[in-house]
Amino acid sequence: MSARISFLKNPDPCNHLSGYKLRYGTDGYKSFQSLFSCFNDGRIKIKLREIEIPRCSYCSVYQKRLYICLFCRSISCSSHILLHTQLNKGHDIAIDVERSELYCCACIDQVYDPEFDEIVVSKQLVGLGMSVKSGADVVAVRSNKKRRLDSQLIIGSKFLVSPRDRREKWSFPLGLRGLNNLGSTCFMNAVLQALVHAPPLRNFWLSGQHNRDLCPRRTMGLLCLPCDLDVIFAAMFSGDRTPYSPAHLLHSWWQHSTNLATYEQQDSHEFFISLLDRIHENEGKSKCLYQDHEECQCITHKAFSGLLRSDVTCTTCGSTSTTYDPFIDISLTLDSANGFSPADCRKNRYNGGPSVNATMPTLSGCLDFFTRSEKLGPDQKLNCQSCGEKRESSKQMSIRRLPLLLCLHVKRFEHSLTRKTSRKIDSYLQYPFRLNMSPYLSSSIIGKRFGNRMFAFDGEGEYDSSSSSPPSAEFEIFAVVTHSGMLESGHYVTYLRLKGLWYKCDDSWINEVEEEVVRGCECYMLFYAQEKVIQKAHKELSYQVISMAEAFPFANC
Amino acid sequence: MKHSVNRPPTPDEDDASEGFEKDEVTLREIINVKLVESGEKENLMELVRDRLVECGWKDEMRIACREHVKKKGRKDVTVDELIRVITPKGRASVPDSVKAELLNRIQNFIVSAAL
């Protein structure tokens, strides 16, 4: 059963509530305003008289859940509320005394009305000495975003949102918001969704480390993509759930990449690389960080930069030359012939899981292919130091250092120079939600070649040499960009994993989806993060909200 | 053997418990009134709420509610039903430390209010 929750609507009022609203509007609610009593922890109760203990008018209990009738103000307990409605025709709507929440006696269930909540909230705000605009205009107030993102400060508590949006805000993770398609810009939207929810990037921008009001480039009138991203992050996490149009970023990106400034569909991966590149340029330059990519501390590199090791071996004498190159993502060849990994087959049989189709490509198969020992052709002879002349050689790639965020790009678009045609490879690629990268690290790859001799491989898998925690090769997936359709006229969609649940981001439309949907999609870009990054993000993005009280934790802020 | 005839009749089980309960209810009510009047009731409520959040009880309940809703389907569940189903679980899983602390506070209150 796919849990598709309507993203943009409040729960519909029942007939009784609609009927009540038609007849009485908000007068009934307003008449209760004087009775709302606010408490420190954000709760709002109804108090008839100061010290009095409310009791059911039928059975005198005070210990049960009590409701006060909107029409006659008589109090009934949950056992007698139905009786009250039956005895008094038309007395359908009541308010929970302890919580100030609406209840429909005829439906025997809680009901919701944003206008009621507005009235309750305005009482609360008045109590706190904050100025309130009348009725529907409680504005979004943004507190100082420049404060560092403290794990204790839950983002929701920094913002007051328009009551109209409150219900959606409570049900969904923070930062989840649709992006409007501005004319074949789904390639951009897809990447933006993944980046907005990448914890290191999210933290960087939300903690104000690139603030558009303080950016020197922008004050000089220069283009600055990180500033445009600052606007986007603020908008995504504002609590407003109406779809957002990232027009500024699109415009700025066009100005940087004029050759791609058309309304045609672009390649999402190309956009991803160029965007990260621009961020590095802007961040690096304005903050005088190292030019050398390997040491660069800009957010692009801190998050995505890893180190590849390339070993070229002379097939004649066996001597190897090793070089290191940084990378911000890995592009994997998808060829049905190479994707299949024997390891997957064996594993599945032991676990009693479904037997893997021997010809179905898997991600591990692609990674195996990437790190295979490749015989270079006779026309690619390289100069061997010890032999003193050009010899045939073999090359092998491995990962020397893993990044915090690992982006795996599946090469589905094949451009053949000889035939001057392009085609899209549609084959399904099986991929895991949890990925262990140890088999692809240099230590494993090189070790396998020499029969597991002891080698010193310091700092492998570490993203921060000063960190005291041991390097980890365990990754968890947090975003998947998929492409469906044909080369020229396809569509990009992103699946995001937030707190264990999957959300489909299709331009303006966001829906919660089941895991199976994501597993079965045609993946194009896979975004993995080191498991400790995910774990830390879980703690930061708490959104446990049940009642209004928690949405407005004014206490001890 | 003593004659059973002269022994007063054994009171009915129902009568006895009713009488006992009546006294208890009155006493409970008095304590409650005192608690509310002095404002201690609010303090205790806040304390219990804090403790139940701290020990993860609230999260457990939320998960239990979610599971129930998932099982029944969103459209078929009412708040009343949730309360009915979850309350026994909730009561059973309150940690003893919380109960002990609350009991202690109430006892202290009664002593200090010289009831």
Side-chain angles (χ1 to χ4, degrees):
Chain A
M1 181 194 74
S2 164
R4 303 200 139 235
I5 304 171
S6 168
F7 193 71
L8 297 170
K9 285 171 39 170
N10 287 318
D12 289 324
C14 65
N15 298 338
H16 313 99
L17 183 62
S18 324
Y20 171 82
K21 288 294 289 294
L22 276 171
R23 306 257 289 298
Y24 302 98
T26 54
D27 293 339
Y29 301 159
K30 290 191 179 137
S31 69
F32 270 80
Q33 249 183 332
S34 53
L35 300 177
F36 290 135
S37 184
C38 309
F39 290 83
N40 277 343
D41 56 353
R43 306 193 126 235
I44 305 173
K45 288 167 66 158
I46 293 186
K47 280 204 162 158
L48 284 171
R49 273 172 284 275
E50 193 43 54
I51 303 288
E52 183 184 294
I53 302 168
R55 288 171 180 277
C56 174
S57 48
Y58 298 93
C59 66
S60 290
V61 298
Y62 56 87
Q63 300 97 319
K64 290 176 113 168
R65 195 172 262 241
L66 297 172
Y67 300 95
I68 182 166
C69 176
L70 258 178
F71 300 84
C72 63
R73 298 216 176 163
S74 81
I75 298 180
S76 320
C77 71
S78 44
S79 312
H80 293 112
I81 189 75
L82 192 57
L83 181 65
H84 178 79
T85 289
Q86 286 163 348
L87 292 176
N88 302 279
K89 193 167 179 297
H91 289 210
D92 299 323
I93 312 294
I95 308 179
D96 183 321
V97 172
E98 185 72 23
R99 294 160 193 81
S100 301
E101 290 172 351
L102 284 178
Y103 183 84
C104 176
C105 318
C107 297
I108 319 180
D109 196 9
Q110 199 158 354
V111 288
Y112 305 92
D113 185 353
E115 290 185 311
F116 175 75
D117 291 334
E118 221 171 272
I119 289 167
V120 175
V121 166
S122 62
K123 178 67 186 279
Q124 215 168 8
L125 292 173
V126 164
L128 290 163
M130 294 176 95
S131 65
V132 178
K133 291 193 188 158
S134 66
D137 300 310
V138 177
V139 238
V141 169
R142 209 164 64 134
S143 71
N144 189 354
K145 184 166 75 77
K146 292 171 189 120
R147 258 182 294 164
R148 289 208 139 261
L149 192 72
D150 189 11
S151 56
Q152 297 202 345
L153 282 172
I154 298 168
I155 296 179
S157 68
K158 288 199 215 173
F159 300 91
L160 282 177
V161 285
S162 154
R164 235 174 304 279
D165 297 307
R166 229 181 303 119
R167 292 289 160 190
E168 296 93 73
K169 173 176 163 10
W170 295 350
S171 326
F172 284 88
L174 295 158
L176 206 53
R177 191 175 176 185
L179 292 168
N180 286 323
N181 189 316
L182 306 169
S184 299
T185 59
C186 57
F187 70 93
M188 176 178 76
N189 291 345
V191 167
L192 282 179
Q193 290 287 9
L195 294 181
V196 160
H197 291 276
L201 270 66
R202 182 201 72 207
N203 293 350
F204 178 82
W205 264 279
L206 287 180
S207 60
Q209 289 182 60
H210 190 109
N211 187 317
R212 66 189 177 285
D213 299 322
L214 303 175
C215 175
R217 277 180 69 87
R218 212 170 144 261
T219 44
M220 286 195 287
L222 294 171
L223 274 173
C224 179
L225 261 74
C227 282
D228 296 317
L229 281 169
D230 194 38
V231 177
I232 292 179
F233 272 100
M236 295 296 273
F237 284 90
S238 66
D240 187 351
R241 301 290 188 174
T242 56
Y244 178 72
S245 297
H248 281 299
L249 180 72
L250 181 65
H251 179 70
S252 304
W253 184 68
W254 276 347
Q255 292 193 283
H256 274 297
S257 325
T258 45
N259 57 321
L260 301 170
T262 68
Y263 274 109
E264 282 171 3
Q265 180 72 272
Q266 304 296 341
D267 182 355
S268 220
H269 178 247
E270 203 174 336
F271 173 74
F272 170 70
I273 297 296
S274 79
L275 183 63
L276 287 187
D277 206 37
R278 297 278 169 244
I279 296 171
H280 161 73
E281 261 180 38
N282 287 54
E283 276 286 293
K285 284 199 179 117
S286 63
K287 297 191 179 168
C288 302
L289 298 167
Y290 291 100
Q291 290 296 335
D292 176 9
H293 284 222
E294 194 169 341
E295 298 295 331
C296 180
Q297 289 295 302
C298 77
I299 184 64
T300 293
H301 288 103
K302 261 169 114 163
F304 286 101
S305 178
L307 206 59
L308 274 180
R309 172 177 163 147
S310 168
D311 290 290
V312 177
T313 310
C314 172
T315 46
T316 315
C317 68
S319 68
T320 312
S321 84
T322 308
T323 51
Y324 292 100
D325 285 300
F327 68 89
I328 51 172
D329 74 334
I330 299 181
S331 290
L332 300 170
T333 309
L334 175 62
D335 207 320
S336 38
N338 69 56
F340 144 68
S341 161
D344 290 323
C345 233
R346 276 200 306 275
K347 210 175 10 165
N348 266 0
R349 243 182 277 138
Y350 288 140
N351 295 340
S355 59
V356 171
N357 185 346
T359 56
M360 174 161 65
T362 64
L363 186 69
S364 17
C366 293
L367 286 165
D368 284 334
F369 185 74
F370 180 75
T371 53
R372 78 199 183 290
S373 182
E374 180 188 358
K375 265 221 162 67
L376 298 174
D379 53 335
Q380 291 170 299
K381 284 192 190 151
L382 294 168
N383 218 344
C384 173
Q385 295 277 348
S386 53
C387 295
E389 56 180 23
K390 286 203 170 172
R391 296 284 194 182
E392 278 191 13
S393 35
S394 69
K395 183 174 100 159
Q396 188 168 36
M397 307 292 292
S398 58
I399 301 180
R400 172 77 175 86
R401 192 185 67 230
L402 288 164
L404 259 185
L405 302 178
L406 181 64
C407 172
L408 298 175
H409 166 234
V410 178
K411 295 198 282 192
R412 289 189 179 275
F413 301 113
E414 225 178 48
H415 305 284
S416 163
L417 290 164
T418 50
R419 277 180 282 158
K420 292 223 167 93
T421 53
S422 311
R423 69 174 185 118
K424 185 193 170 197
I425 307 169
D426 267 311
S427 348
Y428 171 70
L429 180 73
Q430 194 185 61
Y431 64 96
F433 287 172
R434 250 184 101 79
L435 180 63
N436 188 327
M437 290 295 286
S438 351
Y440 314 105
L441 292 173
S442 302
S443 52
S444 314
I445 301 289
I446 310 300
K448 268 193 281 207
R449 260 178 40 196
F450 297 105
N452 292 318
R453 300 256 169 261
M454 301 299 279
F455 289 99
F457 282 94
D458 312 309
E460 202 165 43
E462 267 178 34
Y463 58 93
D464 178 1
S465 49
S466 64
S467 116
S468 52
S469 49
S472 163
E474 288 284 345
F475 283 79
E476 273 196 43
I477 199 164
F478 68 92
V480 180
V481 171
T482 71
H483 182 270
S484 51
M486 311 217 288
L487 191 73
E488 301 297 329
S489 58
H491 184 55
Y492 289 99
V493 160
T494 302
Y495 292 99
L496 292 175
R497 193 196 212 186
L498 298 167
K499 293 211 90 176
L501 295 173
W502 281 100
Y503 298 89
K504 176 181 183 184
C505 306
D506 182 350
D507 285 332
S508 331
W509 295 276
I510 314 265
N511 287 104
E512 190 186 322
V513 294
E514 294 285 320
E515 243 183 49
E516 286 68 46
V517 171
V518 187
R519 283 196 198 278
C521 76
E522 202 179 287
C523 60
Y524 180 56
M525 288 171 73
L526 298 166
F527 289 87
Y528 290 90
Q530 292 202 10
E531 66 176 341
K532 46 186 132 186
V533 169
I534 300 288
Q535 282 161 4
K536 190 160 162 281
H538 266 213
K539 285 190 224 137
E540 286 161 359
L541 263 197
S542 264
Y543 65 98
Q544 44 171 329
V545 180
I546 300 176
S547 72
M548 273 198 307
E550 283 107 287
F552 297 88
F554 295 119
N556 313 318
C557 240
Chain B
M1 192 160 79
K2 276 207 173 124
H3 269 287
S4 55
V5 164
N6 293 331
R7 257 209 274 156
T10 4
D12 236 313
E13 233 181 352
D14 289 326
D15 290 336
S17 52
E18 212 180 74
F20 184 61
E21 263 172 28
K22 272 212 187 100
D23 290 337
E24 208 178 83
V25 163
T26 321
L27 183 60
R28 191 197 274 173
E29 278 197 29
I30 294 174
I31 297 176
N32 188 54
V33 166
K34 290 285 181 197
L35 281 170
V36 171
E37 273 175 5
S38 62
E40 177 70 355
K41 182 96 184 276
E42 280 308 323
N43 296 341
L44 291 175
M45 294 292 267
E46 205 176 318
L47 172 76
V48 168
R49 267 189 216 109
D50 286 342
R51 294 283 180 264
L52 289 177
V53 168
E54 274 164 22
C55 69
W57 179 91
K58 193 172 190 185
D59 290 329
E60 277 170 29
M61 291 305 111
R62 193 158 47 92
I63 292 168
C65 287
R66 273 220 165 153
E67 274 170 17
H68 182 85
V69 172
K70 258 193 181 155
K71 234 179 14 192
K72 291 296 294 288
R74 254 180 77 232
K75 307 269 181 200
D76 292 328
V77 181
T78 64
V79 172
D80 282 19
E81 183 187 325
L82 269 180
I83 296 170
R84 204 178 53 237
V85 169
I86 304 292
T87 299
K89 294 186 194 173
R91 287 194 192 280
S93 60
V94 174
D96 286 340
S97 56
V98 176
K99 291 183 191 168
E101 189 178 355
L102 189 62
L103 189 59
N104 201 8
R105 284 283 289 260
I106 297 174
Q107 281 171 339
N108 290 344
F109 171 80
I110 293 172
V111 163
S112 67
L115 274 173

